[in-house]
Amino acid sequence: MASSAPFTENVIFPGESEAYIQELKPMGVAIIGSDKWSVQRERIEKLTMQAISNVAQKMDEFVTNQLISHDKVAILIHELVCVDLWKRNVFSLLFKQSVTPTTGFPTYLILYHEASLVSLLEVVLFYRESCENLNETVLDLIDYTHRKITELIMNEDVRVDSENGGMEAGESPESIIKELKEQESKIAFGVQMKSLSILHYISDHLSVQPLSVSTHLLNTHDFPCLLVSVIERSPWTRAGEEGQLMKYEDGKWREIEQIDRLKVTKLEGQVWLTLYRLLLDENCRTKYEFSSYRKQCLMKLQGYLIDPLLEQIPYLADLQRYLQHLSLMEPPAAKTSLILEQIPVLYSQIIKDWGEKWEELAEKQSKHLLEPDPERLKAQATRWIDSYNFEVLENLVEGPPKCSSCGKEATKRCSRCRSEWYCGRECQVKHWKKHKASCDMLQQALNS
């Protein structure tokens, strides 16, 4: 079991981290899944783990500092947009090209790469200096968060890992396809939730961004009204299998005691603070183009600004007064001025290059992703296990590991993949339906 004592181990050391960061390059959708792309993917995953470890242990954040000093944050956004477009346009086409897939592991690594990139950006963008270095890629990142948050709202069931979870793993083509789609859905939910954090950090550093960024947030995408829908949907809460209250914290669903049911989670607080910033910040409040619909939408927030929330986030009292004032008057007209607005270029350029060639790309990639060489597959799986079994990873959060089923202190973990922790056999058996697919996928890759 992991000790709660401080540690000094690293996933990678500062010199190694700097070498990785200096070699980061924009790859593009055409070589996703290739050996060259996989090398960079593995390095980014190690950078992500180290960056999270540094934050959790309050250590020198050398990964973040190096990404900023070498001006590489924009490359992370480029890779994120590429993976997102690949997932939207190529992922489903792969199965049409390969009627007899033998494994889903290489494809799963691509899907998981989006989560790694978002997690790393979530750490890095906390700092003002990182936002200063985004340049025009910030608009592509804003567009990305808008897509993800819209998906979060529109999904019929955003509460992944619920009682409906579980899928039967196997080696038949049908089960491989089903496993991948289930894993994609699970990863997508985590990415969508982290997109809320990224949006919060962008809004928190508007003073160092071009003027067009606030316009893009407020009027192009109307994030204030979008976030009202998020609060109405409350994707960070759900009912458990036995009707107990569950909240999504630190990437896991946790059972909440009745006394803590009104306690605001970090993510929920970030959404409220983003709304506060977009509506009351001096860089925003005069730019928002009000309409009767937007006013009506914002008025819905009044019902959620209850005393327990205001006690935990006192800043929101200003938002409450603003909404009360807004309800009694006509919305102020936005101050318009001539602005040479930047436009997102990454997404549109990739669409322009590949818009009519997605099937061609899927055909090229399907063979090495769904029917890879066994030796190459085994080497890939071995490197994955090596990366995710460092003892240091057990200390990414303070204290002992948490049970993947109930969230209590854990002392045992899956003997096959060693990636999931449990407090006892009962929870391991209960969680097996949810864990079986990813565990079997990894074992199948190792035994190929």
Side-chain angles (χ1 to χ4, degrees):
M1 190 179 82
S3 170
S4 60
F7 72 99
T8 58
E9 296 179 76
N10 290 296
V11 178
I12 51 177
F13 293 98
E16 188 178 9
S17 167
E18 187 159 29
Y20 286 175
I21 288 169
Q22 286 176 324
E23 293 177 11
L24 286 177
K25 295 178 176 62
M27 291 287 181
V29 294
I31 62 171
I32 285 179
S34 67
D35 290 340
K36 181 180 179 181
W37 181 89
S38 296
V39 168
Q40 180 157 294
R41 176 193 59 75
E42 291 169 7
R43 291 177 174 179
I44 288 175
E45 286 183 5
K46 290 182 179 180
L47 290 170
T48 301
M49 289 187 284
Q50 186 61 57
I52 294 172
S53 175
N54 289 345
V55 171
Q57 302 301 320
K58 299 180 175 61
M59 296 168 61
D60 174 29
E61 296 185 43
F62 57 84
V63 173
T64 296
N65 294 334
Q66 290 165 357
L67 282 165
I68 294 171
S69 63
H70 291 291
D71 199 17
K72 296 290 187 175
V73 181
I75 288 180
L76 299 179
I77 296 173
H78 177 277
E79 294 305 284
L80 183 63
V81 172
C82 286
V83 172
D84 182 42
L85 273 167
W86 181 91
K87 188 179 71 173
R88 292 171 181 276
N89 296 283
V90 178
F91 176 57
S92 61
L93 295 177
L94 290 175
F95 310 120
K96 297 180 181 179
Q97 303 297 331
S98 177
V99 294
T100 57
T102 58
T103 180
F105 186 66
T107 309
Y108 170 79
L109 293 181
I110 298 174
L111 299 175
Y112 187 81
H113 188 50
E114 182 180 17
S116 293
L117 288 164
V118 167
S119 296
L120 184 52
L121 283 168
E122 183 186 24
V123 172
V124 173
L125 293 176
F126 174 82
Y127 296 96
R128 177 191 182 102
E129 295 83 359
S130 62
C131 289
E132 289 179 325
N133 292 335
L134 294 182
N135 301 319
E136 67 275 3
T137 60
V138 67
L139 298 180
D140 276 287
L141 184 58
I142 291 171
D143 283 5
Y144 174 86
T145 61
H146 182 266
R147 291 194 295 273
K148 297 302 170 181
I149 295 171
T150 301
E151 290 170 4
L152 182 66
I153 296 167
M154 297 300 293
N155 286 347
E156 290 185 4
D157 183 7
V158 298
R159 297 162 177 81
V160 172
D161 202 28
S162 67
E163 62 272 18
N164 296 323
M167 53 185 173
E168 296 301 320
E171 297 185 5
S172 69
E174 294 78 13
S175 65
I176 289 172
I177 294 171
K178 182 181 179 182
E179 289 161 21
L180 280 173
K181 290 182 177 179
E182 293 282 356
Q183 291 296 325
E184 191 275 335
S185 178
K186 183 177 181 179
I187 291 169
F189 177 73
V191 166
Q192 291 157 8
M193 297 294 271
K194 286 184 179 294
S195 294
L196 291 168
S197 291
I198 290 175
L199 174 66
H200 169 67
Y201 295 135
I202 293 173
S203 69
D204 210 31
H205 302 304
L206 281 176
S207 61
V208 300
Q209 300 291 352
L211 294 175
S212 59
V213 170
S214 56
T215 302
H216 208 65
L217 287 168
L218 294 166
N219 298 318
T220 303
H221 290 309
D222 192 8
F223 271 104
C225 285
L226 188 69
L227 293 180
V228 171
S229 297
V230 172
I231 288 173
E232 288 183 307
R233 191 68 188 267
S234 187
W236 42 78
T237 61
R238 69 169 175 87
E241 295 179 6
E242 299 175 0
Q244 71 274 32
L245 176 65
M246 308 285 288
K247 288 199 174 187
Y248 190 78
E249 296 182 289
D250 299 323
K252 295 282 186 180
W253 286 104
R254 308 294 186 197
E255 183 176 347
I256 302 299
E257 299 292 336
Q258 188 66 18
I259 194 173
D260 294 325
R261 64 187 180 86
L262 295 178
K263 186 176 180 180
V264 177
T265 65
K266 176 184 175 181
L267 192 59
E268 185 180 1
Q270 286 179 328
V271 171
W272 278 109
L273 289 173
T274 303
L275 271 166
Y276 173 88
R277 179 75 66 182
L278 293 179
L279 292 173
L280 296 183
D281 184 87
E282 60 181 358
N283 293 313
C284 298
R285 63 187 305 172
T286 59
K287 296 179 183 177
Y288 192 41
E289 296 174 358
F290 270 101
S291 64
S292 58
Y293 165 77
R294 287 179 172 180
K295 177 182 175 179
Q296 183 180 8
C297 183
L298 293 177
M299 288 301 102
K300 297 177 183 177
L301 293 174
Q302 291 181 301
Y304 295 92
L305 288 165
I306 58 177
D307 288 343
L309 176 62
L310 298 177
E311 289 171 3
Q312 294 173 76
I313 312 178
Y315 285 113
L316 297 183
D318 292 336
L319 178 60
Q320 185 181 51
R321 285 190 290 271
Y322 170 79
L323 293 172
Q324 290 170 347
H325 181 66
L326 183 63
S327 67
L328 300 173
M329 58 174 286
E330 286 298 315
K335 291 183 179 179
T336 57
S337 58
L338 181 61
I339 297 177
L340 296 177
E341 185 173 355
Q342 296 172 290
I343 60 173
V345 294
L346 294 178
Y347 189 92
S348 57
Q349 185 60 50
I350 297 170
I351 290 291
K352 180 180 178 181
D353 293 342
W354 290 95
E356 298 180 359
K357 297 185 289 185
W358 294 119
E359 288 198 20
E360 177 185 335
L361 184 58
E363 184 177 2
K364 290 180 179 178
Q365 294 181 339
S366 62
K367 181 69 177 177
H368 72 264
L369 290 177
L370 297 177
E371 303 172 52
D373 174 74
E375 290 302 316
R376 181 176 180 270
L377 177 62
K378 186 173 183 178
Q380 200 171 40
T382 301
R383 290 197 303 273
W384 171 270
I385 287 180
D386 288 343
S387 295
Y388 280 88
N389 271 294
F390 290 115
E391 290 301 314
V392 66
L393 297 184
E394 298 175 12
N395 295 287
L396 282 177
V397 294
E398 294 181 2
K402 302 296 183 183
C403 177
S404 296
S405 180
C406 68
K408 297 179 181 178
E409 183 176 326
T411 58
K412 305 177 184 299
R413 61 179 174 181
C414 178
S415 60
R416 299 176 77 208
C417 68
R418 300 185 64 79
S419 65
E420 296 284 2
W421 285 88
Y422 301 99
C423 61
R425 178 167 176 76
E426 182 179 351
C427 274
Q428 184 174 11
V429 171
K430 184 179 179 181
H431 191 254
W432 176 240
K433 282 187 177 181
K434 302 181 180 74
H435 176 53
K436 186 176 188 294
S438 58
C439 190
D440 282 357
M441 189 183 297
L442 184 57
Q443 286 300 308
Q444 181 188 350
L446 283 171
N447 296 331
S448 60

